[in-house]
Amino acid sequence: FQAEDGIRDFCLSRGLGDVYKRQFYMYSLESFVIVVNRAIDRVNEHEGGSKKGVPKQLKSPLKKQTEQEDGQLKDGEEAQKENGDKEQDQDGEANGGQKGEQLEDGQKENGAKLELQQQQEEEAEEEEVQVLSPRSLRKRVEKLTESITFESFNYVRRGLFEKHKTIVSTMLCLRIQERQGILTLDEVNHLIIGKIELNSPPIPEQLRFLTEMIWSSVRALESLSVFHGIAQNLQDEYLQWKKWFQEEKAEVADLPRNFREISKFHRLLLLRAMRPDRLSSALVQYLADALGQQYTEQSPFSMETTYEETSPQIPIFFVLFPGVDPTPDVERQGAKYDISISNGKFTNISMGQGQEDRAKDAIFQAAKEGNWIMLQNVHLMESWLKLFERYLEQVQETAHPMFRCFISSEPPPFPSMKIIPESILQNCIKVANEAPQDLKANIRRAYAKFDDETLKKSSKPNEFKAILFGLCMFHSLILGRKKFGSQGWSRVYNFNDGDLRICADVLYNYLERYEVVPYDDLRYIFGEIMYGGHITDNWDRRTNRTYLKVLIKPELLQNAPIIPGFKSPDPAKFDYSAYAKYIEEKLPQESPIVFGLHPNAEINYLTAQTEMIFSTIIEVSGGAGGSGTSKKDEGVRGLIDDFKKRLPKKYNIFDIKEKIKEMEPYTIVALQECERMNTLLKEIDISLEELKLGLEGALNITDAMENLSRNLQLNRVPDTWEKYAYFSKKPLSSWFNDLIERTIQLHDWTKEMIMPKSLCISYFFNPMSFLTAIMQKTARLNNLPLDDMTIQTNVTGFKEHEEIQNYAENGYFIHGLYLEGASWEPGPSGNDGYLIDQKLKELHPKLPVVNVIAVRTANKKTIGQYDCPVY
């Protein structure tokens, strides 16, 4: 049991570096042997330390080694005493041989007694081993298993980033419960993969509040006995299901009557299918119930506890995060051993150019004299780290017992970058004491960069305090916005504390130079130069400017609201400590509205978080649960047969060209689309046939076949198919259904080379080619220069393209567009509609049919038009 648990946890941790592409997630087998031994020793200590009834084979090697060393020390003392006695005997021989003989006889007698005593102790210990009853042995094994599991998990967790801790605890929990028989493999796979039913029937009319993806997921749950009949129950009790579905916290709300008593794990499966945005919250509670609170709530970092695990051969590696400095913790621990900078026993070096020789000398001196050394920001010295690796190897062999080495480094800007040598990371105790990233923690940390003296030095203290507070809020909001993904920022930007400090210096200088506060200038410098220097996307730049427009304004001095429910305090009545207290007591609870986002943004964020958790688990595990090979192959064969049966036929380009009467722009687009679709269909057909032959033994299984088989099992689009396909993030089952819909549109178009009255723009490999064709067609008809043409879109009153009876008078009708971050309100009596705010839980409302026309650039409508990107 001990070996199995240790191997399981070690293999789990070794996979983290490959999947997260985090170089810092590296662990050696030797370190895990130490962790397992420590877990065994803690069980022994908890049982009283006497090890009564503990078999020798259940004692850890560390304890055995200590006992052996104690025994060797005792034997050495006895030998030394014996040698001393012999010398006395030799001196005494001159005075009388009889006395020496008596002493020698006494030594022999004592030696015999010592051997007899040791033999009796061993026999007594063996007798005590016999006392362990099967029940006692089982209890001890359970304690050892629990101790090894938690110590291994805690060792790994201490070095993990916050966003990865839930993932590791989930993997551990699922593996344990599956092995114990609490969960079945099929149930675990349902949770991890998020299975959906292929070719599910249309959504019933009364369940239109569900999406097609949710309906397919619910249908897939029917394969589990617990959820048998759930699809029909949804239709019968749709009002109760709709009420539960729309609950803000569905994970704790009452389910409809027939499913109210399902287990907590089966509730997770239901959330996975219907409310994935609430699954991450429910998962944390499930882990706490299944494993214990200690697996979900980590104790604050303790330098003293961590120090106990160090040695001259085991350094501590700190991962640096904004607002976290490990130096004070190290200094406080050193003070307990009279090690400090003042007495020369602690050397703290911030690495940079020119520090190489000083660091080398300090390492060797500290190892020789038993001092401590801390090397900070080693990520700045990538070329020197190879030498540092060698220095550590040299000094650790003969280092003083009190020698300790502490290392700190920022995470690399790109996860796949390798900065620190692997041997250093494997031997280190890694500490990732990441600061909280919520809004209150961000603004608290931002404001802490300044002090009362900073606020008092300005000749315009009220203006400086008010604008600085607004600047800290701005800094905190744009950092917190990152967690909302692409709805927060289109790209990832590394805003940092240096931007905040420099902006504060600019604010001070401008207030000292000008009588009237130049708000426009400040907003421009903050938004376009300092923070704006990071931003590369024009839409993000607009967001940044909007924040500054709201936060940096004269009304800050007049209690103006800066975020919903939070006003700027009166600077004349507030000093530094009053501002800090105001943050702690008055800042509203964090929500998307605080960031200027719709509540739906949190749904997207939480759903993406759920997908990230389980997609990572799939990659770490090398797939879903491991059933038998034959069973897996059987499932893959079934998928191959289904896909091949439904795979559309390729288009006969020669037949299509024979039907063409005139080679116009639209016709060229149709031919291009058919050719690209043929290439994709050919690749799908060949790869499926090869995999089928490989499973039958007619062909050797290649890496490409294995990857295809794995992707089919995990409901992912294979890379070889994506290479020839269109852009899509859908899972394989939905992607394949979408492929069929695309071929149907092309078939309707090319059957008689008669264009449909409206085309789905999302079904094109290259949508821009069709929009260009509209401009070319219009330019030829009206004899206009193509270079001066542009596209204008007019949203029509047609909700569905089936309602269209005639072709567009100008341009062409398109459909298949969806909105994100807004909804569309149709105009009265078929008149033009307009954009409105999103409706709650309606994440991607469908846009009505759009009439795309080509106009000259000068004639394009701009008034009453909203310019937004289309993906």
Side-chain angles (χ1 to χ4, degrees):
F1 284 106
Q2 297 170 40
E4 186 174 347
D5 287 329
I7 292 170
R8 177 197 63 207
D9 299 331
F10 173 69
C11 293
L12 186 151
S13 68
R14 288 289 292 176
L16 301 181
D18 295 334
V19 174
Y20 298 142
K21 302 298 185 289
R22 290 283 178 192
Q23 188 208 4
F24 292 170
Y25 293 173
M26 291 186 178
Y27 303 89
S28 66
L29 181 58
E30 182 182 358
S31 66
F32 263 84
V33 170
I34 295 173
V35 171
V36 171
N37 288 332
R38 186 189 307 132
I40 296 172
D41 294 339
R42 291 195 173 175
V43 171
N44 293 340
E45 292 167 4
H46 184 264
E47 291 180 348
S50 63
K51 301 176 189 62
K52 184 176 180 179
V54 179
K56 285 184 178 181
Q57 61 269 28
L58 290 182
K59 292 181 183 178
S60 78
L62 289 181
K63 285 294 183 184
K64 290 180 182 178
Q65 181 181 355
T66 303
E67 292 172 5
Q68 290 172 0
E69 290 174 352
D70 291 342
Q72 290 171 0
L73 180 61
K74 185 175 180 181
D75 293 342
E77 290 174 351
E78 293 291 343
Q80 186 176 0
K81 181 178 179 181
E82 185 177 349
N83 290 335
D85 290 342
K86 286 182 179 180
E87 290 177 1
Q88 292 177 2
D89 292 345
Q90 291 173 358
D91 293 339
E93 283 179 0
N95 299 324
Q98 185 178 0
K99 185 178 179 180
E101 291 175 0
Q102 291 175 352
L103 286 172
E104 186 175 352
D105 294 339
Q107 289 171 0
K108 289 180 179 179
E109 185 179 350
N110 289 337
K113 287 181 178 180
L114 181 61
E115 289 180 4
L116 179 62
Q117 183 180 356
Q118 290 177 346
Q119 184 177 356
Q120 290 174 346
E121 287 178 357
E122 290 177 359
E123 291 176 355
E125 188 171 301
E126 289 178 0
E127 289 177 1
E128 289 177 351
V129 171
Q130 302 297 327
V131 175
L132 267 178
S133 65
R135 182 180 178 184
S136 300
L137 181 60
R138 184 170 61 253
K139 284 186 176 181
R140 177 170 175 79
V141 170
E142 289 174 357
K143 289 180 181 179
L144 286 169
T145 302
E146 183 178 344
S147 180
I148 291 170
T149 301
F150 180 70
E151 289 296 329
S152 302
F153 170 76
N154 204 37
Y155 179 79
V156 173
R157 176 173 63 177
R158 184 170 48 197
L160 293 177
F161 290 12
E162 285 296 326
K163 62 182 179 181
H164 296 151
K165 291 178 180 177
T166 301
I167 296 175
V168 175
S169 53
T170 301
M171 293 166 62
L172 187 63
C173 180
L174 294 178
R175 291 189 183 187
I176 289 173
Q177 292 195 328
E178 185 184 342
R179 193 183 72 178
Q180 293 176 344
I182 298 173
L183 303 177
T184 66
L185 177 64
D186 200 22
E187 288 174 331
V188 172
N189 286 345
H190 260 279
L191 181 66
I192 295 176
I193 299 175
K195 293 183 178 180
I196 66 174
E197 183 182 74
L198 301 175
N199 304 321
S200 57
I203 303 175
E205 190 62 35
Q206 64 268 42
L207 298 180
R208 287 293 176 183
F209 59 90
L210 302 178
T211 65
E212 291 183 5
M213 180 66 71
I214 292 176
W215 174 242
S216 298
S217 300
V218 170
R219 297 278 307 180
L221 284 178
E222 294 243 10
S223 62
L224 301 175
S225 58
V226 174
F227 293 103
H228 184 68
I230 188 174
Q232 185 61 45
N233 188 259
L234 253 76
Q235 300 176 55
D236 297 339
E237 301 182 6
Y238 68 92
L239 291 177
Q240 294 183 44
W241 280 105
K242 185 175 182 180
K243 180 183 177 183
W244 175 81
F245 180 75
Q246 293 178 342
E247 288 282 353
E248 181 181 356
K249 295 185 177 180
E251 70 273 19
V252 295
D254 288 337
L255 286 164
R257 184 174 60 255
N258 288 7
F259 292 89
R260 195 165 294 167
E261 302 301 325
I262 61 175
S263 69
K264 292 180 180 179
F265 180 81
H266 292 128
R267 183 180 277 262
L268 291 182
L269 295 181
L270 194 58
L271 290 169
R272 177 81 160 112
M274 299 185 69
R275 286 294 302 276
D277 58 301
R278 301 309 308 170
L279 183 56
S280 57
S281 175
L283 188 60
V284 171
Q285 185 58 48
Y286 179 80
L287 295 173
D289 294 339
L291 298 178
Q293 293 286 347
Q294 69 270 26
Y295 284 85
T296 58
E297 297 178 3
Q298 186 175 6
S299 303
F301 171 69
S302 170
M303 186 64 212
E304 183 172 0
T305 303
T306 305
Y307 177 77
E308 293 174 359
E309 302 175 24
T310 65
S311 71
Q313 291 75 34
I314 304 177
I316 295 183
F317 185 92
F318 292 100
V319 184
L320 296 177
F321 298 98
V324 178
D325 183 8
T327 308
D329 291 326
V330 177
E331 290 177 339
R332 280 192 293 270
Q333 186 66 25
K336 298 178 182 179
Y337 299 92
D338 192 31
I339 293 176
S340 64
I341 295 177
S342 58
N343 62 17
K345 294 184 178 181
F346 179 50
T347 305
N348 187 356
I349 302 176
S350 182
M351 298 304 294
Q353 190 173 3
Q355 297 293 329
E356 297 93 333
D357 292 339
R358 181 189 172 202
K360 176 185 176 181
D361 295 340
I363 291 170
F364 282 92
Q365 183 179 356
K368 180 180 179 181
E369 300 177 0
N371 298 337
W372 290 10
I373 181 171
M374 186 168 189
L375 302 177
Q376 303 212 50
N377 302 309
V378 296
H379 59 281
L380 302 175
M381 307 292 291
E382 186 175 353
S383 59
W384 177 77
L385 287 176
K386 288 291 183 183
L387 294 174
F388 175 52
E389 178 184 17
R390 193 180 311 156
Y391 300 154
L392 280 181
E393 291 175 355
Q394 292 174 1
V395 302
Q396 285 173 351
E397 296 177 359
T398 58
H400 190 282
M402 280 303 296
F403 168 67
R404 294 294 186 275
C405 180
F406 304 89
I407 310 165
S408 72
S409 169
E410 289 183 2
F414 301 103
S416 58
M417 286 183 62
K418 293 187 176 181
I419 298 176
I420 315 298
E422 187 171 335
S423 66
I424 295 178
L425 287 171
Q426 287 188 344
N427 293 328
C428 284
I429 294 174
K430 287 172 280 297
V431 177
N433 187 22
E434 192 171 357
Q437 298 297 317
D438 58 282
L439 181 62
K440 179 176 281 190
N442 280 335
I443 192 171
R444 183 193 296 137
R445 189 162 54 244
Y447 197 67
K449 301 297 178 186
F450 311 100
D451 51 28
D452 195 45
E453 184 179 345
T454 306
L455 269 60
K456 291 179 179 178
K457 70 179 182 179
S458 175
S459 60
K460 298 183 180 68
N462 290 343
E463 288 84 351
F464 184 77
K465 285 189 287 185
I467 298 175
L468 181 63
F469 187 71
L471 184 62
C472 290
M473 177 59 74
F474 164 73
H475 179 80
S476 305
L477 288 171
I478 65 173
L479 286 179
R481 221 182 141 89
K482 291 180 179 180
K483 73 178 183 181
F484 295 102
S486 59
Q487 284 195 324
W489 297 107
S490 299
R491 299 176 185 175
V492 178
Y493 304 115
N494 294 317
F495 304 119
N496 54 63
D497 296 339
D499 300 320
L500 177 64
R501 291 196 189 95
I502 294 172
C503 286
D505 292 339
V506 170
L507 172 62
Y508 171 78
N509 293 334
Y510 267 66
L511 291 181
E512 296 303 305
R513 181 174 299 180
Y514 298 102
E515 289 295 326
V516 179
V517 180
Y519 285 97
D520 289 339
D521 293 349
L522 290 174
R523 283 193 291 262
Y524 181 83
I525 294 173
F526 297 164
E528 302 295 336
I529 300 175
M530 301 305 176
Y531 287 92
H534 297 281
I535 299 174
T536 56
D537 184 88
N538 287 332
W539 304 101
D540 291 338
R541 194 175 296 277
R542 183 178 69 172
T543 301
N544 196 51
R545 286 197 301 264
T546 304
Y547 268 124
L548 288 167
K549 187 177 180 180
V550 173
L551 295 171
I552 308 299
K553 56 186 179 182
E555 289 80 7
L556 287 173
L557 284 78
Q558 303 165 6
N559 292 108
I562 49 179
I563 59 173
F566 191 68
K567 295 182 178 181
S568 174
D570 186 353
K573 300 177 182 178
F574 275 60
D575 58 6
Y576 181 84
S577 59
Y579 272 105
K581 185 179 179 182
Y582 186 69
I583 292 170
E584 298 296 331
E585 297 179 354
K586 299 297 183 181
L587 191 69
Q589 187 175 1
E590 184 173 325
S591 68
I593 296 174
V594 169
F595 295 92
L597 295 166
H598 192 276
N600 283 352
E602 186 171 39
I603 298 176
N604 281 326
Y605 156 65
L606 293 173
T607 303
Q609 187 180 57
T610 296
E611 291 303 321
M612 185 269 292
I613 289 173
F614 291 109
S615 63
T616 305
I617 290 175
I618 289 173
E619 293 193 36
V620 172
S621 306
S627 60
T629 303
S630 59
K631 189 175 179 180
K632 282 186 176 181
D633 290 349
E634 183 180 342
V636 172
R637 287 192 189 98
L639 291 171
I640 293 173
D641 292 339
D642 178 70
F643 285 137
K644 285 184 69 65
K645 180 180 178 181
R646 296 192 295 137
L647 186 67
K649 294 181 179 180
K650 293 190 293 183
Y651 299 94
N652 191 320
I653 302 297
F654 295 105
D655 289 347
I656 293 174
K657 287 183 177 180
E658 287 179 359
K659 302 171 187 175
I660 297 174
K661 298 177 181 178
E662 181 184 355
M663 191 64 73
E664 60 174 4
Y666 294 147
T667 305
I668 295 173
V669 172
L671 289 173
Q672 290 174 345
E673 291 291 314
C674 288
E675 288 172 355
R676 292 192 62 175
M677 183 61 75
N678 278 348
T679 304
L680 175 59
L681 295 175
K682 180 181 177 182
E683 173 60 29
I684 294 174
D685 187 35
I686 292 175
S687 60
L688 289 175
E689 184 62 29
E690 287 180 347
L691 178 57
K692 183 178 180 179
L693 293 173
L695 294 175
E696 293 173 351
L699 291 177
N700 292 329
I701 297 291
T702 63
D703 291 341
M705 292 181 191
E706 288 184 353
N707 290 332
L708 175 58
S709 175
R710 182 166 176 261
N711 282 305
L712 292 179
Q713 295 175 58
L714 301 180
N715 196 28
R716 290 183 174 179
V717 181
D719 295 338
T720 53
W721 297 5
E722 274 189 329
K723 180 181 177 181
Y724 300 104
Y726 33 83
F727 293 111
S728 177
K729 293 294 183 182
K730 293 183 177 182
L732 177 58
S733 53
S734 300
W735 181 91
F736 199 84
N737 291 335
D738 182 67
L739 170 70
I740 295 172
E741 291 294 326
R742 290 168 184 262
T743 58
I744 290 174
Q745 174 171 277
L746 268 179
H747 179 268
D748 293 343
W749 187 355
T750 58
K751 185 178 181 181
E752 299 296 336
M753 288 310 296
I754 299 175
M755 294 182 67
K757 295 180 177 63
S758 176
L759 287 169
C760 180
I761 192 70
S762 301
Y763 286 172
F764 284 88
F765 282 86
N766 183 10
M768 280 304 301
S769 65
F770 184 72
L771 298 179
T772 304
I774 294 175
M775 291 191 291
Q776 291 174 334
K777 183 85 171 177
T778 304
R780 290 181 184 180
L781 286 174
N782 299 289
N783 198 24
L784 297 173
L786 182 61
D787 292 344
D788 193 36
M789 304 298 290
T790 188
I791 288 295
Q792 180 175 301
T793 53
N794 300 319
V795 182
T796 71
F798 300 115
K799 289 185 178 180
E800 302 293 340
H801 67 278
E802 290 87 357
E803 301 174 16
I804 301 173
Q805 300 296 324
N806 300 305
Y807 289 98
E809 295 180 3
N810 188 12
Y812 215 86
F813 289 128
I814 64 169
H815 60 275
L817 294 176
Y818 295 82
L819 290 169
E820 185 175 48
S823 291
W824 185 262
E825 182 69 20
S829 303
N831 294 329
D832 291 345
Y834 49 91
L835 287 172
I836 59 173
D837 281 340
Q838 270 185 307
K839 297 174 184 177
L840 195 61
K841 293 187 174 65
E842 190 181 61
L843 303 182
H844 300 103
K846 193 174 182 179
L847 194 66
V849 175
V850 177
N851 182 202
V852 180
I853 63 174
V855 297
R856 302 194 71 166
T857 305
N859 298 332
K860 183 175 181 178
K861 287 195 301 184
T862 56
I863 299 175
Q865 302 291 303
Y866 180 73
D867 188 22
C868 73
V870 178
Y871 301 99

